[in-house]
Amino acid sequence: MKLKLLWALACIAVLPAHAKTVETVLDNGMKVIVREDHRAPVVVSQVWYRIGSTYEHDGISGVSHVLEHMMFKGTKSLKPGEFSEIIAANGGRENAFTSRDYTAYFQQIASDRLEICLKLEADRMRNVVFLADEFKKEVAVVQEERRWRVDNKPKSQLFEQFYATAFLTSPLRIPTIGWMNDLENLQMEDASLWYQKWYAPNNATLVIVGNVNSDEVFRLANQYFADIKPSVIEPPKPRPEIAQTGERRINLYGQTSSPYLLMGYKAPVLSTLKDNIKDIYAMDVLSGILDGGNSARVAKKMLRGEEIAVEAGTSYDPFDRLAGLFIFAGTPNEGITPQRLEQAFISEIRDLQENPVTQQELERVKAQVIARKVFDQDSTFNLGMQIGMLDSVGYDYKLLDTYVDNVRRVTAEDVQRVARQYFDKNKLTVATLWPEEEIGNK
Amino acid sequence: MNTMLFKWSVALIASFTCVIQSAHALDIRSWETSNGVKVLFVESHELPIVDVRMTFKAGSSRDGTLYGLSRLVNSLLVEGTGKYSAEDIALTFESTGSEQSHDSLRDMAWVSLRSLSDQTLLDKTSDLFARVVALPSFPQDAIDRDRQSMLVSLANRKTRIADVVEDAFFHHVYRDHAYEVGSHGSEETLKSITQQDLIDFHTRYYVAKNANLSLVGDLTMEQARQYAEQLTRYLKPGKSAEPIAAASPAPSAKTINIPFKTSQTHIMQGMPILSRKDPDYYALYVGNHILGGSGFSSRLMQEIRENRGLSYSVYSYFMPMENSGPFEMALQTKNHQAEEATALLQKLLTDFIDNGPNEDELDHARKNITGGFPLKIDSNKKIVDYLAVIGFYDLPLDYLDNFNANILAVTRSDIQDAFKRRVKPNNMVRIIVGGES
């Protein structure tokens, strides 16, 4: 694709004039970020707490997620389940999720009902009541959740153990759902202490996207949250990952017909780079060169060309809080060993290290990034997610505005440079899932 | 390429909880292209995006005895057309930042495209889109490759408990019916499919009279007309597919136990019931919302998860299809609780059939469904999804306009009457896939 088309794309992809995001910080330290979007009479309201599994330690793994469940189980003024009942009666949809670095609670509702969401969220920020009976049932539910998500899904087990192998000292090794043993031994006091410690206005951000007036939202936020006193939030002890100076490998046998391969190289994120911030955008582009659709290298050479894999891809997040992994994953085709698949990925890496990528590929990736930025505007929920995910790990959400330009600046030399720097076999962890009946090599 | 948003890993753990009535929910324009494709269009200029979905009655219910044929045809559409190879096709779409996708299920097969709305970009991809849907070349190496991929997928299905449950459910509920085997097909039949089979299927079903086109976005009416003509230009007129026959429920209740190595038993039960244009549609919809379709407010969630902690996910659902789509109830629980959970699930169902909902529950359901209506159409993506369904199932164009009124018109006795007549525990199939504790 010609540069001219790319330039044309960039001109088209200019956002509507009113599309801007504004923020304020309440006196108690709570951040409020609002983006007006008047396309539909709805709003998404999200409260993001800066707490997740990377703040946990062995023995209480999964506590952030269990606490998330408990947030629906009653406050001083609400019975268990009443929160959800009220939102439902107002025509709202709601849910919550816990991740490695944050726990977020959201409602999607007609925009004239925003106030009830804020009132209820303010209430449960401080007033959750822990009842022994409710806690016991909810931990049982989370154990079923673990059985459903992980224990009976060998690929999920592989992933969990892969992370715990790649990361020895970093809290990234802790599964967000929690180890089953920890869930079985979790006490109500563990959850309530966690709540006291981390749930505070100065450890939270309210993100609102939709058919609202930002000044009105700030007024409501003040009305409902300003009286909540801040806590002293003690940051967790730093737990950097020790330098990896040699490859690590694990094998897992499970109920599967095909093997499955995970490879992870230690990768930078925004917070770990001082001088070479552009590295993260180059890595992101590299990921797109490999796995950015059916014309990308993995599909072209590994799925179609040599038919080595039935599915394969890469994964990388430049904006994670803690330095993570650049991941290669795939299912080998019938008659292909996971070792062969691994060699194919290594071969792709070598190609990236030895030969600059083509202009055509770079333009394709950039065109996709430009277009995707526009497509992202279609979903208020996704916009809220993007803002919350950046803010909750300590990044400026305005990175969303500079993202496209930063990607557009990436050159073939940049991609080659990061391929050489970060795909070092001494920084690699490999995890292989084997069908149960097979022991050792095929 | 992965954006920040789509975190690839399993790190995001959802807690699973599973009014405004405007005179005109959506301004839907409709017309036919010159070769007979019905088009539905919603104009929206707030974002420079155009969404396209072209649907065909070409799902697995059309496989006949060649299970897997429809999915193979659909996947091969992008593997070559005329002088364009799979790579040419992919690059043309992707180099403009467009997102092309396609899939097929039991009723519907589709090809979608999301693009920026600039006319030069649309022109770059519209002809290729038209060729992809109408003139696939079915190269032999691609046939072998995609077939292989489907076979590998099938083998893995047998090792995944959720797939084992689903396959057993459809096999027993829809025995000898077009819905029995899903789009993943079966090993034996996949191996026997020839290039001619693919061509014949495509020739029969990917035709104008069997197609619907949905457009949403930044186009004027005139641009939309032209774009629709371009996208459909190579489709032959053809004929609409034959209607799907009704499925008969099992003559008596049956339970199928499938042993499986697992720490958690999966239970699913149901029977064929709901068609898209079913006269009982709204009564069953509202009733189901109360029973098990509304997340935390529902009876199933309350009793099974909230009160007893037996399952993380429990639900009931009527899947509306062209004819007699399944009613399903499902949950998963650790092995030694399976008996208790199964009995409770059944009791909650029979209680609901015998006594219906109470007034509070109905009131709550009405508020939740009608109050949440604007959320159904608050993005271009959701709107194109709705247009596709309205067009494919030939629903009235005012389906969305009248939705809330239809919901509010449902009474307690409507629900009780509809459930008693249609939902028959004595004709249900129950699948239990589990292990020893």
Side-chain angles (χ1 to χ4, degrees):
Chain A
M1 198 188 91
K2 307 293 175 288
L3 265 168
K4 205 169 141 196
L5 184 49
L6 190 59
W7 174 84
L9 256 179
C11 291
I12 293 153
V14 170
L15 296 170
H18 63 261
K20 61 183 176 68
T21 311
V22 291
E23 69 173 284
T24 192
V25 181
L26 306 185
D27 289 341
N28 59 12
M30 179 164 161
K31 211 186 287 188
V32 182
I33 304 174
V34 182
R35 186 191 165 102
E36 294 186 18
D37 183 325
H38 301 284
R39 289 183 305 130
V42 297
V43 65
V44 59
S45 172
Q46 303 169 343
V47 176
W48 295 73
Y49 292 96
R50 293 187 266 287
I51 180 66
S53 52
T54 55
Y55 293 76
E56 298 169 1
H57 55 80
D58 285 346
I60 56 158
S61 66
V63 65
S64 307
H65 173 238
V66 169
L67 175 55
E68 180 223 303
H69 277 239
M70 294 310 295
M71 283 277 276
F72 294 85
K73 295 302 193 165
T75 67
K76 291 176 184 157
S77 45
L78 295 179
K79 293 194 304 291
E82 203 179 339
F83 180 99
S84 300
E85 227 178 274
I86 294 171
I87 298 297
N90 279 276
R93 296 179 195 170
E94 49 123 16
N95 211 327
F97 55 84
T98 309
S99 185
R100 296 190 180 116
D101 302 310
Y102 38 76
T103 310
Y105 301 85
F106 63 87
Q107 300 85 40
Q108 291 170 279
I109 204 164
S111 41
D112 62 356
R113 308 288 167 112
L114 176 61
E115 190 163 346
I116 187 69
C117 300
L118 300 184
K119 179 173 179 207
L120 294 178
E121 286 293 1
D123 176 42
R124 66 178 177 176
M125 182 180 275
R126 280 287 193 224
N127 299 323
V128 163
V129 165
F130 292 84
L131 300 169
D133 190 42
E134 295 297 329
F135 180 79
K136 184 160 169 244
K137 279 183 294 194
E138 211 51 37
V139 171
V141 168
V142 171
Q143 289 175 9
E144 293 301 338
E145 187 181 349
R146 202 201 136 87
R147 284 184 194 104
W148 178 67
R149 281 188 196 282
V150 184
D151 291 352
N152 295 296
K153 288 184 177 166
K155 275 160 98 164
S156 302
Q157 286 179 299
L158 186 78
F159 195 82
E160 188 176 72
Q161 295 180 26
F162 169 67
Y163 256 74
T165 305
F167 295 101
L168 301 178
T169 56
S170 162
L172 282 171
R173 68 192 319 278
I174 295 173
T176 308
I177 190 82
W179 300 109
M180 185 59 103
N181 180 66
D182 286 350
L183 290 174
E184 285 166 350
N185 289 291
L186 199 68
Q187 303 300 316
M188 197 170 81
E189 289 64 45
D190 296 324
S192 67
L193 281 172
W194 205 244
Y195 176 68
Q196 313 275 350
K197 191 169 167 181
W198 296 108
Y199 278 54
N202 52 319
N203 203 34
T205 299
L206 173 65
V207 178
I208 306 260
V209 183
N211 184 39
V212 295
N213 171 278
S214 50
D215 288 332
E216 175 63 13
V217 172
F218 291 153
R219 190 188 68 72
L220 284 171
N222 261 300
Q223 178 182 344
Y224 289 105
F225 290 93
D227 288 343
I228 304 178
K229 292 194 184 20
S231 301
V232 174
I233 302 289
E234 278 173 33
K237 290 189 184 166
R239 293 153 65 189
E241 178 61 19
I242 51 172
Q244 183 177 353
T245 56
E247 198 177 88
R248 294 173 199 162
R249 290 185 174 267
I250 59 167
N251 293 292
L252 187 64
Y253 297 88
Q255 284 194 108
T256 180
S257 173
S258 305
Y260 187 66
L261 176 73
L262 284 170
M263 295 166 61
Y265 291 89
K266 293 290 165 63
V269 293
L270 184 59
S271 62
T272 60
L273 296 170
K274 294 182 195 351
D275 302 317
N276 281 322
I277 302 245
K278 11 191 303 186
D279 282 6
I280 57 164
Y281 298 103
M283 290 287 268
D284 214 9
V285 168
L286 191 158
S287 186
I289 299 275
L290 288 172
D291 186 27
N294 284 331
S295 69
R297 290 188 179 191
V298 165
K300 178 173 155 182
K301 293 154 80 183
M302 294 171 66
L303 300 185
R304 290 196 300 272
E306 294 186 74
E307 300 187 9
I308 291 200
V310 290
E311 45 116 10
T314 60
S315 172
Y316 169 65
D317 185 353
F319 299 116
D320 229 338
R321 184 171 76 95
L322 303 174
L325 298 171
F326 188 106
I327 296 174
F328 295 81
T331 302
N333 208 339
E334 187 68 36
I336 305 284
T337 62
Q339 294 96 324
R340 177 77 188 85
L341 178 58
E342 186 181 335
Q343 283 318 303
F345 278 132
I346 302 283
S347 188
E348 289 303 319
I349 289 169
R350 201 165 293 132
D351 192 357
L352 289 166
Q353 291 170 334
E354 289 169 8
N355 308 302
V357 299
T358 65
Q359 276 313 302
Q360 186 193 61
E361 286 172 303
L362 275 178
E363 302 306 346
R364 187 263 303 159
V365 169
K366 292 173 185 181
Q368 289 173 312
V369 168
I370 291 169
R372 199 172 296 125
K373 180 97 169 96
V374 177
F375 300 155
D376 285 348
Q377 313 305 315
D378 190 35
S379 166
T380 50
F381 182 79
N382 288 347
L383 285 173
M385 286 288 291
Q386 290 181 340
I387 293 167
M389 281 165 64
L390 281 173
D391 180 78
S392 299
V393 298
Y395 296 141
D396 188 350
Y397 65 84
K398 297 186 203 64
L399 283 167
L400 291 168
D401 297 330
T402 54
Y403 179 76
V404 172
D405 285 339
N406 281 317
V407 165
R408 290 186 67 199
R409 284 197 202 102
V410 172
T411 64
E413 291 67 43
D414 292 328
V415 174
Q416 190 170 14
R417 178 174 53 72
V418 295
R420 286 179 176 165
Q421 182 168 353
Y422 296 105
F423 294 136
D424 171 357
K425 70 187 274 291
N426 289 326
K427 309 258 184 228
L428 173 63
T429 302
V430 180
T432 308
L433 171 69
W434 300 91
E436 249 164 355
E437 276 72 38
E438 310 264 345
I439 310 288
N441 303 322
K442 249 191 182 169
Chain B
M1 178 165 160
N2 298 283
T3 63
M4 305 169 275
L5 177 61
F6 295 105
K7 283 199 180 221
W8 176 91
S9 73
V10 296
L12 285 176
I13 310 288
S15 182
F16 191 92
T17 58
C18 265
V19 156
I20 292 173
Q21 175 66 63
S22 51
H24 227 19
L26 285 177
D27 184 13
I28 304 175
R29 317 302 170 74
S30 79
W31 69 93
E32 262 187 31
T33 61
S34 56
N35 61 352
V37 177
K38 290 205 265 305
V39 186
L40 295 181
F41 169 55
V42 168
E43 190 172 341
S44 170
H45 299 287
E46 282 147 329
L47 292 172
I49 301 176
V50 174
D51 281 299
V52 174
R53 181 159 313 158
M54 192 179 290
T55 66
F56 299 89
K57 291 194 187 206
S60 64
S61 55
R62 312 287 167 190
D63 280 349
T65 52
L66 287 177
Y67 307 122
L69 180 56
S70 53
R71 170 66 66 80
L72 198 49
V73 167
N74 185 267
S75 75
L76 286 164
L77 293 176
V78 293
E79 292 280 0
T81 173
K83 59 179 167 58
Y84 294 91
S85 68
E87 193 188 331
D88 296 329
I89 293 169
L91 195 56
T92 304
F93 289 122
E94 288 162 14
S95 63
T96 58
S98 307
E99 295 177 350
Q100 185 279 125
S101 60
H102 55 96
D103 205 350
S104 72
L105 297 174
R106 281 178 162 84
D107 279 345
M108 197 192 279
W110 68 90
V111 185
S112 298
L113 186 66
R114 168 163 262 200
S115 322
L116 294 176
S117 55
D118 178 73
Q119 197 58 53
T120 9
L121 293 180
L122 294 179
D123 289 342
K124 272 191 155 32
T125 54
S126 58
D127 188 66
L128 184 60
F129 185 99
R131 288 177 185 278
V132 157
V133 296
L135 304 167
S137 51
F138 296 122
Q140 190 60 48
D141 64 331
I143 295 172
D144 296 334
R145 180 175 57 245
D146 281 10
R147 185 210 317 270
Q148 171 82 301
S149 183
M150 285 181 70
L151 287 169
V152 170
S153 209
L154 261 182
N156 283 302
R157 277 190 89 83
K158 297 192 174 82
T159 67
R160 287 195 296 259
I161 188 170
D163 292 337
V164 169
V165 178
E166 185 187 309
D167 289 352
F169 179 82
F170 275 91
H171 173 62
H172 288 281
V173 169
Y174 288 100
R175 190 68 73 97
D176 297 328
H177 183 269
Y179 288 155
E180 181 182 347
V181 181
S183 43
H184 46 80
S186 86
E187 186 181 345
E188 200 185 303
T189 55
L190 271 173
K191 285 178 173 162
S192 73
I193 291 170
T194 63
Q195 190 188 53
Q196 194 57 50
D197 293 325
L198 299 163
I199 291 169
D200 290 344
F201 186 94
H202 183 269
T203 303
R204 170 65 187 92
Y205 292 111
Y206 281 77
V207 292
K209 292 273 191 320
N210 200 37
N212 267 278
L213 178 63
S214 303
L215 299 176
V216 175
D218 184 25
L219 297 168
T220 62
M221 188 63 214
E222 193 41 48
Q223 287 171 323
R225 278 192 189 279
Q226 276 178 34
Y227 193 43
E229 287 294 323
Q230 287 166 358
L231 295 173
T232 57
R233 65 196 297 191
Y234 301 116
L235 289 171
K236 299 212 172 33
K239 294 188 306 168
S240 181
E242 296 304 315
I244 301 287
S248 317
S252 58
K254 58 177 178 162
T255 297
I256 288 105
N257 283 287
I258 301 173
F260 197 87
K261 185 175 161 199
T262 174
S263 61
Q264 188 181 62
T265 299
H266 286 226
I267 298 150
M268 184 180 281
Q269 66 187 69
M271 57 182 289
I273 297 186
L274 194 71
S275 306
R276 264 287 170 186
K277 292 191 188 177
D278 208 302
D280 289 323
Y281 186 91
Y282 292 101
L284 293 175
Y285 183 102
V286 178
N288 181 70
H289 193 84
I290 295 165
L291 174 60
S294 54
F296 282 131
S297 329
S298 72
R299 283 200 188 179
L300 293 186
M301 265 292 208
Q302 279 301 311
E303 294 300 324
I304 292 176
R305 173 168 157 167
E306 296 298 283
N307 291 354
R308 294 175 178 77
L310 287 172
S311 185
Y312 168 67
S313 161
V314 55
Y315 66 88
S316 66
Y317 180 55
F318 286 93
M319 190 185 299
M321 292 176 72
E322 191 178 313
N323 202 328
S324 27
F327 170 68
E328 323 178 338
M329 304 172 74
L331 64 87
Q332 313 81 34
T333 192
K334 64 185 176 188
N335 292 337
H336 73 79
Q337 286 170 176
E339 215 177 296
E340 179 194 351
T342 303
L344 181 55
L345 191 67
Q346 184 71 355
K347 178 167 185 301
L348 291 167
L349 174 66
T350 51
D351 279 350
F352 191 81
I353 293 170
D354 292 341
N355 306 312
N358 63 44
E359 205 55 58
D360 269 345
E361 286 173 317
L362 179 58
D363 182 55
H364 195 80
R366 283 173 172 162
K367 287 193 174 118
N368 181 247
I369 297 168
T370 60
F373 182 83
L375 294 170
K376 285 167 151 12
I377 49 170
D378 66 351
S379 71
N380 288 9
K381 184 105 205 325
K382 290 180 187 177
I383 294 171
V384 81
D385 285 347
Y386 266 107
L387 291 187
V389 164
I390 290 169
F392 184 89
Y393 291 108
D394 192 35
L395 300 179
L397 290 190
D398 56 8
Y399 169 77
L400 287 170
D401 298 337
N402 296 333
F403 187 83
N404 276 359
N406 282 322
I407 293 292
L408 290 172
V410 172
T411 65
R412 281 172 62 203
S413 65
D414 289 334
I415 294 172
Q416 210 169 344
D417 171 64
F419 267 73
K420 277 203 161 82
R421 270 186 297 107
R422 308 290 297 273
V423 186
K424 304 283 196 188
N426 289 337
N427 301 107
M428 273 197 201
V429 169
R430 179 187 293 127
I431 309 289
I432 301 179
V433 182
E436 306 306 302
S437 351

